[in-house]
């Protein structure tokens, strides 16, 4: 573009600003950018929601050794207030609520798309003892010491140390003094055949996933003021029961 053309373009742009107003132009650009980001985010969440349910059918199809059944057996049939953080499509929360009708189950997630799918599932099931809410798990709106059980399933490995720390701190805050935090996380299997199947999980996850798998879970949770009470090994995963560390 020659100097004359540049000057004319600049003049035309200035005239456009004068005619429409700079604030309106900036606002219009911001709105378009928001729409584009929202569309991209929606597509990502829709894919993740479907992928999560596919993983469920592929890796945890054996009921006897599935992490969900391990969690349900740990909870029993008592009258419990249970929080499922990052509930996603609500699969865990619904299963827990159906297994224990005496429990009050709340599922939260920051994704509207995930919660839409969760609510669609709830409409098909008669499960009155469950509610789902849109909420940030790192900044929850619940009062202190509210829940007997907090569940975090297949989430921590996806988070930065900072965000994971905030989420675990929030879990600690809303747990009753004698409450339990139950964490479900991936665990690399020992058998060669199972390792081949687990390789697909590794390829799907982020770069730091393998480092997370190697972490000492006792040290990891101790720095967040929790102590491990029990670990149950399941298919491709482990279920960790944690208690609040007593204050010195």
């Amino acid at each position: 573009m020659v100097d004359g053309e540049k000057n004319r373009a600049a003049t035309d742009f200035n005239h456009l600003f004068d005619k429409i107003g700079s604030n309106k132009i900036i606002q219009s650009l911001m709105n378009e950018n928001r729409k584009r980001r929202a569309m991209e985010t929606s597509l990502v969440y829709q894919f993740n929601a479907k992928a999560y349910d596919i993983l469920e059918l592929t890796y945890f199809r054996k009921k006897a050794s599935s992490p969900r059944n391990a969690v349900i057996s740990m909870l029993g049939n008592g009258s419990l207030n249970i929080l499922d953080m990052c509930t996603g499509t609500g699969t865990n929360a619904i299963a827990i609520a159906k297994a224990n009708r005496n429990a009050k189950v709340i599922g939260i997630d920051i994704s509207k798309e995930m919660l839409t799918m969760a609510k669609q599932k709830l409409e098909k099931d008669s499960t009155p003892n469950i509610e789902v809410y849109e909420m940030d798990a790192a900044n929850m709106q619940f009062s202190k010491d509210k829940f007997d059980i907090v569940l975090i399933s297949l989430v921590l490995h996806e988070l930065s140390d900072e965000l994971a720390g905030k989420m675990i701190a929030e879990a600690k805050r809303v747990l009753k003094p004698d409450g339990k935090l139950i964490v479900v996380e991936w665990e690399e299997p020992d058998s060669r055949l199972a390792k081949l199947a687990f390789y697909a999980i590794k390829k799907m996850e982020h770069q730091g996933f393998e480092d997370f798998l190697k972490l000492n879970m006792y040290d990891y949770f101790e720095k967040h003021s929790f102590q491990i009470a029990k670990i149950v090994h399941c298919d491709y995963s482990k279920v960790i029961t944690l208690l609040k560390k007593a204050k010195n």
Side-chain angles (χ1 to χ4, degrees):
M1 182 181 287
V2 297
D3 289 342
E5 291 175 333
K6 286 182 180 178
N7 290 334
R8 283 196 299 275
T11 302
D12 291 343
F13 189 71
N14 287 333
H15 284 323
L16 182 63
F17 254 60
D18 292 338
K19 186 175 181 180
I20 301 177
S22 61
N23 289 338
K24 288 184 178 180
I25 292 175
I26 293 170
Q27 188 63 47
S28 176
L29 291 171
M30 288 175 66
N31 287 339
E32 287 301 316
N33 194 38
R34 280 196 207 99
K35 288 178 184 177
R36 179 182 56 78
R37 287 202 310 266
M39 184 177 295
E40 290 172 353
T41 302
S42 175
L43 291 172
V44 168
Y45 274 123
Q46 287 177 43
F47 172 80
N48 286 344
K50 291 176 182 177
Y52 184 87
D53 286 344
I54 291 170
L55 285 175
E56 179 70 28
L57 294 172
T58 305
Y59 290 89
F60 306 139
R61 64 184 185 277
K62 297 179 183 177
K63 289 186 178 181
S65 51
S66 79
R68 177 173 303 116
N69 276 13
V71 170
I72 289 172
S73 65
M74 289 175 184
L75 299 179
N77 295 311
S79 180
L80 301 170
N81 285 326
I82 301 172
L83 172 64
D84 183 22
M85 296 174 74
C86 303
T87 194
T89 61
T91 307
N92 282 328
I94 293 169
I96 291 168
K98 292 172 84 171
N100 182 2
R101 298 288 181 172
N102 297 316
K104 174 66 181 296
V105 182
I106 292 178
I108 66 162
D109 206 284
I110 201 168
S111 164
K112 291 181 180 179
E113 288 77 11
M114 290 281 198
L115 291 177
T116 296
M117 294 185 182
K119 289 173 182 177
Q120 288 171 352
K121 290 180 181 180
L122 287 174
E123 288 175 1
K124 296 177 182 178
D125 293 305
S126 178
T127 315
N129 57 326
I130 179 173
E131 297 174 357
V132 293
Y133 299 102
E134 183 183 346
M135 195 180 299
D136 183 356
N139 185 27
M140 295 188 291
Q141 299 161 25
F142 301 117
S143 60
K144 183 180 178 182
D145 302 340
K146 179 178 176 64
F147 296 98
D148 300 289
I149 303 289
V150 172
L151 174 65
I152 304 177
S153 181
L154 299 180
V155 172
L156 295 178
H157 69 273
E158 296 182 348
L159 308 178
S160 66
D161 286 343
E162 181 182 4
L163 183 54
K166 289 179 180 179
M167 188 178 295
I168 295 170
E170 276 291 87
K172 186 173 184 287
R173 181 182 68 81
V174 301
L175 266 176
K176 294 178 180 179
D178 59 346
K180 296 177 181 178
L181 171 61
I182 298 178
V183 174
V184 179
E185 265 306 336
W186 292 110
E187 183 173 57
E188 187 160 14
D190 294 325
S191 76
R192 185 176 298 178
L193 187 61
K195 279 181 179 292
L196 287 173
F198 194 71
Y199 181 75
I201 297 295
K202 286 184 175 182
K203 297 304 289 183
M204 288 175 60
E205 292 291 348
H206 61 90
Q207 191 173 3
F209 178 62
E210 292 197 48
D211 291 332
F212 183 89
L213 291 175
K214 296 173 184 176
L215 288 176
N216 182 312
M217 288 289 105
Y218 289 89
D219 293 341
Y220 179 82
F221 286 109
E222 185 168 349
K223 74 179 181 181
H224 296 299
S225 300
F226 277 96
Q227 60 186 21
I228 293 179
K230 185 178 182 180
I231 299 179
V232 176
H233 301 279
C234 303
D235 286 342
Y236 305 97
S237 60
K238 56 194 170 193
V239 180
I240 308 169
T241 303
L242 300 122
L243 304 173
K244 289 184 180 182
K245 283 187 67 177
K247 294 182 179 179
N248 295 329

